[in-house]
mmCIF file of all heavy atoms in Angstrom:
data_model
loop_
_atom_site.group_PDB
_atom_site.id
_atom_site.type_symbol
_atom_site.label_atom_id
_atom_site.label_comp_id
_atom_site.label_asym_id
_atom_site.label_seq_id
_atom_site.Cartn_x
_atom_site.Cartn_y
_atom_site.Cartn_z
ATOM 1 N N THR Z 1 30.392 46.241 28.226
ATOM 2 C CA THR Z 1 29.262 47.058 27.837
ATOM 3 C C THR Z 1 28.171 46.152 27.270
ATOM 4 O O THR Z 1 28.238 45.787 26.110
ATOM 5 C CB THR Z 1 29.694 48.083 26.767
ATOM 6 O OG1 THR Z 1 30.821 48.801 27.234
ATOM 7 C CG2 THR Z 1 28.581 49.041 26.447
ATOM 8 N N PRO Z 2 27.183 45.754 28.074
ATOM 9 C CA PRO Z 2 26.082 44.946 27.540
ATOM 10 C C PRO Z 2 25.331 45.722 26.468
ATOM 11 O O PRO Z 2 25.054 46.905 26.636
ATOM 12 C CB PRO Z 2 25.193 44.695 28.751
ATOM 13 C CG PRO Z 2 26.032 44.991 29.942
ATOM 14 C CD PRO Z 2 27.029 46.001 29.498
ATOM 15 N N LEU Z 3 25.010 45.045 25.373
ATOM 16 C CA LEU Z 3 24.457 45.756 24.226
ATOM 17 C C LEU Z 3 23.535 44.845 23.412
ATOM 18 O O LEU Z 3 23.922 43.746 23.038
ATOM 19 C CB LEU Z 3 25.622 46.232 23.349
ATOM 20 C CG LEU Z 3 25.354 46.826 21.995
ATOM 21 C CD1 LEU Z 3 24.537 48.093 22.094
ATOM 22 C CD2 LEU Z 3 26.678 47.098 21.294
ATOM 23 N N LEU Z 4 22.317 45.332 23.148
ATOM 24 C CA LEU Z 4 21.420 44.709 22.178
ATOM 25 C C LEU Z 4 21.490 45.561 20.922
ATOM 26 O O LEU Z 4 21.352 46.788 20.992
ATOM 27 C CB LEU Z 4 19.987 44.664 22.716
ATOM 28 C CG LEU Z 4 19.794 43.870 24.001
ATOM 29 C CD1 LEU Z 4 18.350 43.991 24.491
ATOM 30 C CD2 LEU Z 4 20.191 42.418 23.816
ATOM 31 N N ILE Z 5 21.694 44.931 19.783
ATOM 32 C CA ILE Z 5 22.037 45.689 18.578
ATOM 33 C C ILE Z 5 21.463 45.050 17.320
ATOM 34 O O ILE Z 5 21.338 43.831 17.233
ATOM 35 C CB ILE Z 5 23.587 45.792 18.483
ATOM 36 C CG1 ILE Z 5 24.046 46.620 17.305
ATOM 37 C CG2 ILE Z 5 24.217 44.436 18.466
ATOM 38 C CD1 ILE Z 5 25.545 46.870 17.293
ATOM 39 N N LEU Z 6 21.113 45.889 16.358
ATOM 40 C CA LEU Z 6 20.832 45.451 14.994
ATOM 41 C C LEU Z 6 22.039 45.863 14.159
ATOM 42 O O LEU Z 6 22.442 47.032 14.159
ATOM 43 C CB LEU Z 6 19.557 46.104 14.453
ATOM 44 C CG LEU Z 6 18.271 45.777 15.200
ATOM 45 C CD1 LEU Z 6 17.092 46.517 14.568
ATOM 46 C CD2 LEU Z 6 18.005 44.285 15.220
ATOM 47 N N TRP Z 7 22.606 44.906 13.451
ATOM 48 C CA TRP Z 7 23.862 45.094 12.716
ATOM 49 C C TRP Z 7 23.642 44.736 11.246
ATOM 50 O O TRP Z 7 22.914 43.790 10.954
ATOM 51 C CB TRP Z 7 24.934 44.187 13.328
ATOM 52 C CG TRP Z 7 26.298 44.385 12.774
ATOM 53 C CD1 TRP Z 7 26.918 43.599 11.854
ATOM 54 C CD2 TRP Z 7 27.204 45.430 13.088
ATOM 55 N NE1 TRP Z 7 28.169 44.096 11.575
ATOM 56 C CE2 TRP Z 7 28.371 45.220 12.328
ATOM 57 C CE3 TRP Z 7 27.156 46.532 13.936
ATOM 58 C CZ2 TRP Z 7 29.479 46.068 12.383
ATOM 59 C CZ3 TRP Z 7 28.258 47.371 13.994
ATOM 60 C CH2 TRP Z 7 29.398 47.139 13.229
ATOM 61 N N PRO Z 8 24.278 45.450 10.313
ATOM 62 C CA PRO Z 8 24.051 45.178 8.887
ATOM 63 C C PRO Z 8 24.493 43.762 8.473
ATOM 64 O O PRO Z 8 25.553 43.299 8.877
ATOM 65 C CB PRO Z 8 24.887 46.241 8.168
ATOM 66 C CG PRO Z 8 25.858 46.746 9.167
ATOM 67 C CD PRO Z 8 25.260 46.524 10.522
ATOM 68 N N HIS Z 9 23.651 43.110 7.687
ATOM 69 C CA HIS Z 9 23.930 41.747 7.219
ATOM 70 C C HIS Z 9 25.268 41.637 6.515
ATOM 71 O O HIS Z 9 25.961 40.639 6.661
ATOM 72 C CB HIS Z 9 22.825 41.282 6.262
ATOM 73 C CG HIS Z 9 21.736 40.554 6.956
ATOM 74 N ND1 HIS Z 9 21.401 39.262 6.660
ATOM 75 C CD2 HIS Z 9 20.893 40.932 7.944
ATOM 76 C CE1 HIS Z 9 20.405 38.864 7.423
ATOM 77 N NE2 HIS Z 9 20.067 39.867 8.212
ATOM 78 N N ASP Z 10 25.629 42.639 5.742
ATOM 79 C CA ASP Z 10 26.869 42.551 4.972
ATOM 80 C C ASP Z 10 28.094 43.015 5.758
ATOM 81 O O ASP Z 10 29.194 43.044 5.222
ATOM 82 C CB ASP Z 10 26.747 43.334 3.665
ATOM 83 C CG ASP Z 10 26.582 44.829 3.901
ATOM 84 O OD1 ASP Z 10 26.642 45.293 5.057
ATOM 85 O OD2 ASP Z 10 26.389 45.555 2.908
ATOM 86 N N ASN Z 11 27.911 43.386 7.018
ATOM 87 C CA ASN Z 11 28.987 43.880 7.880
ATOM 88 C C ASN Z 11 29.637 45.154 7.364
ATOM 89 O O ASN Z 11 30.737 45.498 7.777
ATOM 90 C CB ASN Z 11 30.056 42.806 8.113
ATOM 91 C CG ASN Z 11 29.582 41.749 9.070
ATOM 92 O OD1 ASN Z 11 29.005 42.046 10.108
ATOM 93 N ND2 ASN Z 11 29.806 40.493 8.718
ATOM 94 N N GLU Z 12 28.984 45.842 6.451
ATOM 95 C CA GLU Z 12 29.514 47.115 5.935
ATOM 96 C C GLU Z 12 29.136 48.237 6.894
ATOM 97 O O GLU Z 12 28.058 48.802 6.830
ATOM 98 C CB GLU Z 12 28.958 47.392 4.531
ATOM 99 C CG GLU Z 12 29.490 46.475 3.466
ATOM 100 C CD GLU Z 12 30.986 46.635 3.246
ATOM 101 O OE1 GLU Z 12 31.499 47.773 3.295
ATOM 102 O OE2 GLU Z 12 31.646 45.606 3.024
ATOM 103 N N TRP Z 13 30.053 48.522 7.786
ATOM 104 C CA TRP Z 13 29.826 49.563 8.777
ATOM 105 C C TRP Z 13 30.817 50.692 8.533
ATOM 106 O O TRP Z 13 31.960 50.407 8.215
ATOM 107 C CB TRP Z 13 30.009 49.006 10.186
ATOM 108 C CG TRP Z 13 29.601 49.979 11.235
ATOM 109 C CD1 TRP Z 13 28.379 50.119 11.781
ATOM 110 C CD2 TRP Z 13 30.411 50.966 11.840
ATOM 111 N NE1 TRP Z 13 28.376 51.130 12.702
ATOM 112 C CE2 TRP Z 13 29.625 51.676 12.750
ATOM 113 C CE3 TRP Z 13 31.754 51.356 11.701
ATOM 114 C CZ2 TRP Z 13 30.106 52.726 13.524
ATOM 115 C CZ3 TRP Z 13 32.230 52.403 12.459
ATOM 116 C CH2 TRP Z 13 31.414 53.068 13.362
ATOM 117 N N PRO Z 14 30.437 51.922 8.583
ATOM 118 C CA PRO Z 14 29.196 52.453 9.114
ATOM 119 C C PRO Z 14 28.086 52.644 8.074
ATOM 120 O O PRO Z 14 26.946 52.911 8.445
ATOM 121 C CB PRO Z 14 29.603 53.797 9.694
ATOM 122 C CG PRO Z 14 30.701 54.263 8.795
ATOM 123 C CD PRO Z 14 31.439 53.006 8.404
ATOM 124 N N ALA Z 15 28.402 52.519 6.787
ATOM 125 C CA ALA Z 15 27.400 52.814 5.756
ATOM 126 C C ALA Z 15 26.150 51.943 5.876
ATOM 127 O O ALA Z 15 25.061 52.379 5.522
ATOM 128 C CB ALA Z 15 28.014 52.653 4.364
ATOM 129 N N GLY Z 16 26.281 50.726 6.386
ATOM 130 C CA GLY Z 16 25.141 49.828 6.531
ATOM 131 C C GLY Z 16 24.259 50.141 7.725
ATOM 132 O O GLY Z 16 23.220 49.536 7.895
ATOM 133 N N GLY Z 17 24.705 51.075 8.575
ATOM 134 C CA GLY Z 17 23.929 51.469 9.735
ATOM 135 C C GLY Z 17 24.163 50.575 10.941
ATOM 136 O O GLY Z 17 24.855 49.558 10.868
ATOM 137 N N GLU Z 18 23.584 50.987 12.051
ATOM 138 C CA GLU Z 18 23.658 50.240 13.305
ATOM 139 C C GLU Z 18 22.575 50.806 14.218
ATOM 140 O O GLU Z 18 22.425 52.022 14.320
ATOM 141 C CB GLU Z 18 25.038 50.438 13.934
ATOM 142 C CG GLU Z 18 25.203 49.885 15.309
ATOM 143 C CD GLU Z 18 26.577 50.209 15.897
ATOM 144 O OE1 GLU Z 18 27.518 50.562 15.168
ATOM 145 O OE2 GLU Z 18 26.691 50.105 17.129
ATOM 146 N N ILE Z 19 21.839 49.936 14.865
ATOM 147 C CA ILE Z 19 20.824 50.374 15.827
ATOM 148 C C ILE Z 19 21.126 49.702 17.155
ATOM 149 O O ILE Z 19 20.941 48.492 17.304
ATOM 150 C CB ILE Z 19 19.394 50.028 15.357
ATOM 151 C CG1 ILE Z 19 19.098 50.670 13.996
ATOM 152 C CG2 ILE Z 19 18.378 50.484 16.402
ATOM 153 C CD1 ILE Z 19 17.766 50.259 13.387
ATOM 154 N N ASP Z 20 21.653 50.479 18.096
ATOM 155 C CA ASP Z 20 21.914 49.998 19.450
ATOM 156 C C ASP Z 20 20.665 50.316 20.271
ATOM 157 O O ASP Z 20 20.422 51.474 20.578
ATOM 158 C CB ASP Z 20 23.117 50.706 20.068
ATOM 159 C CG ASP Z 20 24.352 50.674 19.193
ATOM 160 O OD1 ASP Z 20 24.552 49.671 18.496
ATOM 161 O OD2 ASP Z 20 25.120 51.652 19.208
ATOM 162 N N TYR Z 21 19.901 49.302 20.639
ATOM 163 C CA TYR Z 21 18.627 49.601 21.287
ATOM 164 C C TYR Z 21 18.603 49.290 22.773
ATOM 165 O O TYR Z 21 17.584 49.493 23.436
ATOM 166 C CB TYR Z 21 17.458 48.949 20.550
ATOM 167 C CG TYR Z 21 17.461 47.449 20.462
ATOM 168 C CD1 TYR Z 21 16.712 46.691 21.356
ATOM 169 C CD2 TYR Z 21 18.174 46.805 19.469
ATOM 170 C CE1 TYR Z 21 16.688 45.324 21.261
ATOM 171 C CE2 TYR Z 21 18.150 45.440 19.361
ATOM 172 C CZ TYR Z 21 17.412 44.701 20.269
ATOM 173 O OH TYR Z 21 17.393 43.337 20.168
ATOM 174 N N ALA Z 22 19.696 48.878 23.330
ATOM 175 C CA ALA Z 22 19.829 48.764 24.787
ATOM 176 C C ALA Z 22 21.307 48.611 25.104
ATOM 177 O O ALA Z 22 21.873 47.531 24.958
ATOM 178 C CB ALA Z 22 19.031 47.591 25.338
#
Side-chain angles (χ1 to χ4, degrees):
T1 307
L3 171 62
L4 299 176
I5 183 173
L6 298 179
W7 186 259
H9 268 240
D10 65 4
N11 285 315
E12 290 296 322
W13 188 90
E18 172 184 342
I19 302 174
D20 308 326
Y21 61 98

